[in-house]
Amino acid sequence: MSDAATYWFSPAPSEVTSSRISLDFDLRAADLFFRELVVPELGRIWFARQLSWPLAALSLHEDLSSHGSNPPKPTAICHGIEALACKLEYLVDPQDPSRRILGRRAFGRDAEREVWSFHRLRQATNYVRNTHRQAATRALRVDGGLGFASGSRFDLLELEPVGRALANAFLEQCVGKGGTSLRKWLLGWLEGDREISGSPKTLLQALSPEHATDDERALVRSRLLGTSTSASEKRQRMARAIGGAGDLPSIEDGVVPRLREAGHREQANEVVVARAFGAVLDRARDAVASLTRAVEPGRGGVKLATLASDSALKRSLKDLRTASKNYVEKANTAGVREATSRSFADAVVSGDDTEAIRILARRSGEVLGLADGSVTRGPLFRVVDGTDEASDLEDGAASIEPDRTGRTFRIANLHSLLRDVDQRGAR
């Protein structure tokens, strides 16, 4: 999932359009605010190699540029590397592949296993459009991230010393019997003179999302929990509250009480507010689901008065109003001020059902429209699933990360990353 509270839906088989719809209710900024409030500077990272791959791409681009060639951009290099890594890992067990890999659909289409070159794997048709690199860019940066590289756009990032150290820890691995470094092997592959068939098993492990080296893990952990910044200290407190169990503990019954018991009441209250905001988004989605079902039979639109009397929709709107009121109360208690979410919640709480329907129709991302006192089908109309029914079929990074729906506000991602960099979990 992107950093915003965005939901992607795969077109039904009978549809020819590839348009995707989003239901963020114009609250993308609020969603990012709360994710950063709960687990700052993590982006959408949840395993170490999401950082190693892009940093290695930046380093390899430097190598190629220093030889006077006209190298591919770092973005293309990174997409090629992670596609190769994911494909090699996928073929270990296509029936039960690693949760960390992307590209299952594309790899499954390559029945003859012919697509292995950098030129082909870098293409979205042979991998995915929503990549791990996109999920990692924010976390890489010095400003607002873990400090591995400086700059604003990925292709223009410059490695910081710790970023170069992590890239080297990945690229200096040996592959094959001759002691060839992964750096040398990848440079040859990028230039088109490496054959994958018969490649050593060490290549799989060197690239794999599942097998970060001890040095990689130590470097990631040091940036995650070992720096003297307020963000790092906040992540340290959250790591202790999560604990070392294999499963993420209940946030309300486990993480929040542990934070409070440790004397971090303000941080605990922030988590509670974020979760209350997430409930508002979920109940808004449920209400839109009811709206689409009510509007679907009415080709020319359905009058607001008719919709306001629909029993299923009235229940959904009541739940949305309750969640909104709870969010306002929790935000007031915690002293958290986020203008866009507060404005949305206040409008829902203060208005009647008709006004709530208007608000949702206007913020439905073109799923619905308003015209002459009626709710109409929008340009991207479809009957939307409720929160509990929803499934994310987009083959991209947001569809596989632990915090897929965004409702743990990155606590689940932090838990997974801690498990990867230290198999004993947070201590």
Side-chain angles (χ1 to χ4, degrees):
M1 197 153 128
S2 66
D3 287 327
T6 303
Y7 298 86
W8 303 111
F9 299 84
S10 178
S14 61
E15 295 177 339
V16 295
T17 178
S18 61
S19 296
R20 296 175 295 178
I21 65 174
S22 64
L23 287 176
D24 58 35
F25 304 102
D26 299 334
L27 295 172
R28 295 170 65 92
D31 189 72
L32 179 57
F33 169 84
F34 282 110
R35 296 189 194 204
E36 287 297 303
L37 184 69
V38 173
V39 184
E41 302 179 345
L42 187 64
R44 284 168 33 212
I45 294 300
W46 58 286
F47 61 92
R49 282 274 162 93
Q50 284 177 299
L51 297 166
S52 299
W53 291 331
L55 293 171
L58 293 168
S59 180
L60 291 170
H61 182 266
E62 288 181 356
D63 291 344
L64 293 170
S65 297
S66 68
H67 296 152
S69 60
N70 185 23
K73 292 183 177 180
T75 293
I77 295 173
C78 186
H79 291 178
I81 291 173
E82 67 175 75
L84 177 60
C86 286
K87 190 165 188 175
L88 288 169
E89 187 68 37
Y90 169 82
L91 291 176
V92 171
D93 187 355
Q95 301 305 313
D96 186 23
S98 164
R99 287 183 60 247
R100 295 174 178 176
I101 69 170
L102 300 175
R104 295 175 181 84
R105 296 176 185 174
F107 303 154
R109 290 193 298 267
D110 184 22
E112 302 302 319
R113 302 185 182 182
E114 297 177 340
V115 180
W116 289 108
S117 69
F118 165 67
H119 174 71
R120 297 187 68 182
L121 280 177
R122 65 183 282 189
Q123 299 171 8
T125 52
N126 293 316
Y127 182 42
V128 291
R129 294 188 182 278
N130 299 316
T131 64
H132 284 301
R133 194 273 312 166
Q134 291 166 302
T137 299
R138 180 186 294 273
L140 293 175
R141 298 197 302 251
V142 169
D143 296 328
L146 298 176
F148 291 102
S150 57
S152 55
R153 293 177 48 230
F154 179 74
D155 283 334
L156 300 179
L157 291 181
E158 295 185 3
L159 293 170
E160 293 291 317
V162 67
R164 192 173 301 282
L166 182 52
N168 289 340
F170 174 74
L171 291 170
E172 289 171 2
Q173 297 177 88
C174 290
V175 295
K177 296 180 179 180
T180 299
S181 69
L182 180 60
R183 180 189 298 275
K184 183 177 180 180
W185 193 97
L186 285 171
L187 286 170
W189 180 68
L190 293 170
E191 294 173 343
D193 61 358
R194 294 285 186 208
E195 288 292 331
I196 299 295
S197 58
S199 294
K201 290 183 179 180
T202 51
L203 180 63
L204 163 65
Q205 181 152 333
L207 290 168
S208 171
E210 297 287 345
H211 299 291
T213 66
D214 290 344
D215 286 345
E216 288 174 87
R217 289 190 170 104
L219 286 164
V220 172
R221 186 178 176 84
S222 71
R223 298 304 301 176
L224 186 67
L225 302 176
T227 59
S228 300
T229 65
S230 59
S232 179
E233 291 169 1
K234 198 169 193 178
R235 293 191 297 268
Q236 291 171 33
R237 295 193 294 268
M238 182 62 73
R240 288 192 290 270
I242 291 171
D247 295 327
L248 178 68
S250 166
I251 294 175
E252 280 74 15
D253 298 331
V255 174
V256 169
R258 289 172 189 168
L259 285 170
R260 286 181 173 149
E261 290 165 5
H264 310 305
R265 182 169 295 275
E266 180 180 351
Q267 187 170 353
N269 287 342
E270 290 172 350
V271 175
V272 170
V273 176
R275 295 280 282 177
F277 169 71
V280 172
L281 293 180
D282 285 343
R283 301 295 77 78
R285 176 183 176 144
D286 291 343
V288 167
S290 295
L291 261 176
T292 58
R293 285 192 286 269
V295 169
E296 195 270 339
R299 299 281 177 175
V302 180
K303 293 292 185 181
L304 284 166
T306 302
L307 291 169
S309 64
D310 181 282
S311 59
L313 180 55
K314 286 178 74 68
R315 287 193 297 272
S316 295
L317 293 174
K318 180 181 178 181
D319 291 342
L320 172 59
R321 192 169 287 111
T322 299
S324 298
K325 185 179 295 186
N326 180 61
Y327 165 64
V328 171
E329 292 172 354
K330 294 294 191 295
N332 286 342
T333 299
V336 173
R337 300 284 183 263
E338 200 292 313
T340 58
S341 57
R342 182 60 178 263
S343 176
F344 178 84
D346 284 342
V348 169
V349 170
S350 62
D352 58 14
D353 284 356
T354 299
E355 180 58 25
I357 293 170
R358 286 195 183 97
I359 292 169
L360 293 171
R362 293 190 189 106
R363 293 176 178 240
S364 64
E366 295 191 299
V367 175
L368 299 167
L370 279 172
D372 299 326
S374 296
V375 178
T376 62
R377 295 181 173 203
L380 298 180
F381 177 82
R382 68 190 309 153
V383 175
V384 174
D385 288 332
T387 302
D388 293 338
E389 306 164 300
S391 61
D392 192 335
L393 300 178
E394 177 69 10
D395 193 10
S399 71
I400 62 171
E401 66 179 278
D403 195 16
R404 180 178 62 82
T405 65
R407 294 303 174 266
T408 76
F409 294 90
R410 295 189 177 137
I411 295 175
N413 284 27
L414 177 61
H415 172 260
S416 178
L417 183 56
L418 290 168
R419 297 292 298 172
D420 193 35
V421 300
D422 183 349
Q423 294 301 319
R424 294 166 295 177
R427 291 176 294 176

